[in-house]
Every structure is written in structure tokens, then in C-alpha cells.
Amino acid sequence: MIRTVNRVLLGLVGLVLLVVGGAVLAVGLGASPPSWWIHHGRHDVLLSTAERTRWRDDAWWWPTVLAVLAVLVLLALWWLVAVLRRRRLHEVLVDTGDGAGALLRGRALEGALAADAARPDGVAHAHAHLTGRRNAPEAHVRLLLEPHVDPAEALDRLTAEALTHARDSAALPALPAEVRLRTAKHKAGRVS
């Protein structure tokens, strides 16, 4: 639903900006505007001195303007975060073979995947979360490796064991994964 709302809002904002910008550009290039338009000619200003100073002496004007602008900035930031944020998958559709199917909590599969990924020796910490659709999830796994571990070996073990086990246990045809590997850094200790 948020994708639909996002597309509609982006379309409306884009249409308004295109119409207003095109009309201002047309007037600036010499086209004659309609009588109701805010600009009346090529050398007309956006706000006249009288319009700019009209509310200057009223005590409510500037706090209202600042409050409205602050609300608009907060709404724009909320919208940006909502668009850029990766959605966490709440449930995974498991094919039970009888045509009915079952729902598996996404957090449960994430926890099992992270526990399996952290099991091999040399993995200091593992974190997993699922995105995508409930019938085609995608795994995002972060592994924190000890300094002595070969990253290629850790990736092979993750693919062969943890991801395969998660895919098979949820009866998924595929479980694409994005894996990020980091090495744990240990502070040097003092030897006496």
C-alpha cells in the first residue's frame, strides 16, 4: 500500500511542479498569461513589496510560517525514510505440499538463520533479516569473523549450511542472499 501512496504522491507533486514551472518559464519567455495567473508579464516579480510586507506587523505571522515549514520538512523527511527503508518481512509462505500452505514468522526464520550462521568456529556474531515478498524472500546476512578465519571458507560454510538449511526448512525454491563480512578487531593487551 505504501508503494501506491508513494507513487500517487510523487506523481501529484511532479505534475504540480511541472505545470507551475512550465507556466513560469512560458511567461518568462514572453507568452501572454491568462488574467488569473500570478504573473502578468515578463518583468513581473513573484512577490511585490506590498505583498512581502503585508503581514510583517502581525505577531502571529512568522511563528505560523515557521511552524508550517517545520511540519513540511518533517513530513518530507518521514517520506524519504519510508521510501529508503528496507521493509522487513513479517511472514514467509511455506508450501506444505497439500495446497493449503502455512505462514512462518519472519523473525523466527531470521533467528534460526542467524543462529545457524553463528554456529561455525570463527564466527563472532551473525545477524540476519529478510526482505522481499512472502513467497520469495531475500536474506541479508552480516557476519563478524575472527581475524584467523578465511572469508571464502566462511562464505562457503554459510551458503552450504545455514542458507541451505533455511531454504529447505521453509520449502523455498530459492533463497537469494546478500552477505556482508567484517573482521572483529581486538584491542592489544599488555603483557607483563
Side-chain angles (χ1 to χ4, degrees):
M1 180 174 142
I2 196 157
R3 286 183 180 174
T4 305
V5 172
N6 185 35
R7 288 179 181 161
V8 168
L9 286 175
L10 279 175
L12 289 175
V13 168
L15 184 65
V16 167
L17 290 175
L18 184 67
V19 167
V20 171
V24 169
L25 181 64
V27 171
L29 292 175
S32 60
S35 61
W36 52 267
W37 189 246
I38 57 174
H39 298 292
H40 299 292
R42 187 174 188 169
H43 300 288
D44 193 16
V45 295
L46 182 62
L47 292 173
S48 66
T49 305
E51 290 170 334
R52 280 184 289 133
T53 59
R54 178 178 177 183
W55 304 104
R56 183 181 252 170
D57 295 332
D58 292 330
W60 60 269
W61 174 248
W62 288 115
T64 304
V65 168
L66 292 177
V68 168
L69 290 176
V71 167
L72 287 176
V73 166
L74 290 175
L75 284 174
L77 287 174
W78 171 80
W79 189 12
L80 180 66
V81 167
V83 168
L84 295 179
R85 187 176 72 171
R86 285 187 179 170
R87 296 279 177 215
R88 175 171 255 151
L89 195 59
H90 294 290
E91 54 192 27
V92 177
L93 184 61
V94 177
D95 183 16
T96 57
D98 60 359
L103 292 177
L104 173 65
R105 282 188 31 224
R107 297 243 181 193
L109 187 57
E110 289 172 352
L113 180 57
D116 277 353
R119 186 169 294 131
D121 185 39
V123 177
H125 180 73
H127 177 76
H129 78 271
L130 299 173
T131 60
R133 297 184 318 269
R134 65 186 205 164
N135 58 350
E138 299 170 4
H140 298 271
V141 182
R142 290 187 314 226
L143 295 179
L144 184 62
L145 303 176
E146 296 293 338
H148 66 277
V149 175
D150 180 26
E153 182 182 326
L155 185 61
D156 287 341
R157 289 187 73 176
L158 174 73
T159 304
E161 295 173 9
L163 288 172
T164 303
H165 185 249
R167 185 189 70 229
D168 292 344
S169 66
L172 297 170
L175 182 60
E178 175 184 310
V179 181
R180 295 182 185 257
L181 304 174
R182 280 192 10 213
T183 303
K185 294 181 179 155
H186 298 287
K187 293 182 180 179
R190 202 173 241 178
V191 179
S192 14

